[in-house]
């Protein structure tokens, strides 16, 4: 059993893999998760909105106002579009890592240690957010930290 790394990686053996001189600089082959909803859904910043965010959902749209008209016919104006104001509580997901102290030489290598850790953290959060968009359910979370995912709407 190898000694823990004291930070982001599982153990020192994993840390040392990124210091090998024969590596292609800056390239880490990723384990992609296909079909993540994060890749296709629109997202918006929620800066300075407090603990919730509001948006408008289309209520009555103008489809019912589309009319047929003959050549030279009289047109008329119509008014029917409505909106429904929606609100949801903002949720926070995070991953916290400390920087390994055992291999200081890795900070200056072509595979920048801090950059690799941040990239790994971002990939993990993105994958987890995709799962949460589908499977989170506010109903079964005693601490009410989950959001309502698509699964909860079904």
């Amino acid at each position: 059993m190898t000694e823990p790394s004291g930070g982001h990686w599982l153990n020192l053996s994993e840390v040392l893999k990124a210091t090998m001189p024969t590596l292609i600089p800056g390239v880490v082959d990723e384990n992609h998760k296909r079909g993540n909803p994060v890749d296709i859904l629109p997202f918006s910043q929620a800066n300075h909105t407090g603990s919730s965010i509001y948006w408008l959902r289309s209520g009555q749209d103008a489809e019912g106002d589309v009319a047929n008209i003959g050549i030279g016919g009289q047109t008329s104006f119509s008014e029917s579009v409505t909106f429904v104001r929606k609100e949801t509580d903002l949720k926070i997901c995070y991953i916290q890592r400390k920087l390994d102290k055992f291999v200081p030489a890795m900070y200056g290598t072509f595979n920048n240690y801090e950059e690799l850790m941040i990239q790994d953290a971002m990939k993990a959060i993105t994958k987890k957010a995709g799962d949460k968009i589908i499977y989170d359910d506010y109903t079964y979370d005693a601490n009410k930290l989950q959001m309502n995912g698509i699964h909860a709407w079904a």
Side-chain angles (χ1 to χ4, degrees), residues 81-140:
V81 173
T82 61
F83 295 115
V84 178
R85 183 175 179 222
K86 304 298 287 183
E87 176 185 10
T88 191
D89 293 332
L90 295 174
K91 305 299 181 188
I92 299 172
C93 296
Y94 76 96
I95 186 169
Q96 183 170 326
R97 298 282 200 226
K98 57 185 175 181
L99 297 175
D100 293 290
K101 299 176 183 174
F102 297 102
V103 189
M106 190 171 169
Y107 285 98
T109 65
F110 45 76
N111 278 325
N112 182 296
Y113 164 73
E114 189 174 10
E115 181 182 350
L116 287 176
M117 189 208 44
I118 291 170
Q119 287 175 350
D120 286 345
M122 287 302 299
K123 284 186 285 186
I125 289 171
T126 302
K127 286 180 182 180
K128 187 66 170 185
D131 289 343
K132 293 172 88 41
I133 287 168
I134 296 172
Y135 298 112
D136 260 13
D137 194 337
Y138 187 82
T139 309
Y140 301 104

